[in-house]
């Protein structure tokens, strides 16, 4: 059986159980509303443009935060990959900071920037920077010495060696790092928006929760998950597969 058919059957079974269970009142509708109620809330949200404004605001913050995190993460990764001293000192700090959940940075972000746009973007930047830096570092360190020696025998050194050999050879890790940075930044953005003053998907999630609108809460959760899956599978996975194929890394 093809994967697509398996997935269709699996999701159809979940949807049927969700709706039938709600209609049979197997659980309280205020705790877990029916699929039809969630769908109605989403339709109403898009009709009055509330969710559209939320999506636009969230994507603006994500674009800024992710772009900055990719640049900073790449530069830090290059530093760690090229400098043993930096790798042994700053690298340990980066490795430790990567394990800190994004929501933990919120109190510091609010203290430094206040409860505003800057704090949310700051948390988003941190969400993607560390994972990008570590992937960039791994990519540089895993460049085959044969490539470097071959280039050096042909007269390549310094910046020329890095830009024409080391960095291109690290591209698969750069793509993987970008894919992970997107996922981490997206999660960090939602965490940051939970305490923002809106608009944004995270803000609407908290607002709906405060007023007991579980249909909107679940609806926004579905949107967040769907965006994550679509961007990952239809953009980053395709780029990653294309790069792996081009670099001859397919097993």
């Amino acid at each position: 059986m093809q994967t697509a058919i398996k997935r269709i059957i699996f999701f159809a079974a979940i949807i049927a159980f969700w709706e039938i269970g709600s209609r049979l009142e197997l659980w309280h509708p205020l705790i877990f509303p029916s699929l039809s109620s969630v769908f109605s809330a989403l339709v109403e949200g898009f009709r009055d443009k509330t969710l559209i404004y939320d999506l636009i605001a969230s994507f603006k913050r994500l674009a800024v935060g992710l772009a900055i995190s990719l640049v900073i993460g790449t530069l830090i990764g290059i530093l760690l990959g090229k400098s043993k001293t930096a790798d042994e000192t700053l690298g340990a700090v980066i490795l430790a900071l990567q394990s800190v959940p994004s929501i933990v940075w919120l109190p510091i972000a609010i203290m430094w920037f206040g409860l505003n746009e800057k704090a949310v973007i700051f948390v988003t930047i941190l969400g993607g920077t560390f994972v990008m830096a570590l992937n960039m570092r791994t990519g540089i360190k895993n460049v085959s010495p044969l490539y470097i020696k071959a280039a050096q025998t042909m007269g390549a050194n310094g910046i020329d060696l890095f830009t024409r050999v080391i960095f291109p050879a690290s591209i698969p890790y750069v793509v993987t790092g970008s894919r992970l940075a997107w996922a981490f930044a997206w999660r960090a953005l939602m965490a940051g928006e939970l305490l923002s003053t809106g608009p944004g998907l995270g803000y609407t999630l908290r607002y709906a929760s405060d007023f007991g609108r579980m249909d909107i809460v679940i609806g926004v959760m579905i949107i967040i998950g769907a965006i994550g899956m679509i961007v990952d599978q239809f953009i980053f996975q395709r780029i990653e597969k294309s790069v792996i194929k081009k670099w001859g890394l397919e097993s």
Side-chain angles (χ1 to χ4, degrees), residues 136-185:
M136 188 72 239
R137 166 191 172 275
T138 303
I140 291 176
K141 285 186 172 294
N142 282 345
V143 175
S144 172
L146 291 176
Y147 295 163
I148 297 175
K149 288 180 180 177
Q152 286 174 334
T153 57
M154 290 185 284
N157 282 298
I159 296 177
D160 188 47
L161 176 65
F162 179 80
T163 56
R164 300 182 67 177
V165 178
I166 297 177
F167 188 77
S170 308
I171 290 297
Y173 289 90
V174 174
V175 174
T176 302
S178 301
R179 180 184 172 194
L180 292 173
W182 133 257
F184 279 72

Side-chain angles (χ1 to χ4, degrees), residues 52-103:
I52 294 176
Y53 293 137
D54 288 335
L55 283 168
I56 293 173
S58 293
F59 275 116
K60 279 184 179 177
R61 294 179 184 126
L62 178 68
V64 175
L66 181 60
I68 296 174
S69 71
L70 291 179
V71 173
I72 297 176
T74 300
L75 294 176
I76 294 176
I78 292 172
L79 176 64
L80 299 181
K82 297 297 293 179
S83 170
K84 186 179 179 183
T85 302
D87 191 32
E88 292 174 345
T89 53
L90 179 62
V93 177
I94 297 295
L95 194 62
L97 291 177
Q98 191 203 14
S99 62
V100 178
S102 301
I103 199 166

Side-chain angles (χ1 to χ4, degrees), residues 196-245:
S196 72
T197 54
L201 290 174
Y203 167 76
T204 297
L205 192 68
R206 179 177 60 83
Y207 184 82
S209 176
D210 290 343
F211 286 88
R213 290 293 307 273
M214 290 304 293
D215 51 349
I216 299 177
V217 169
I218 295 176
V220 172
M221 288 174 64
I222 291 173
I223 292 175
I224 294 171
I227 291 173
M229 185 186 70
I230 290 170
V231 172
D232 184 75
Q233 292 205 354
F234 291 95
I235 298 178
F236 284 102
Q237 276 196 25
R238 290 189 176 187
I239 295 174
E240 191 175 52
K241 286 179 181 177
S242 174
V243 170
I244 289 174
K245 185 177 180 181

Side-chain angles (χ1 to χ4, degrees), residues 104-115:
V104 175
W105 290 102
L106 276 175
I108 294 177
I110 293 172
M111 285 293 292
W112 287 357
F113 302 103
L115 193 58

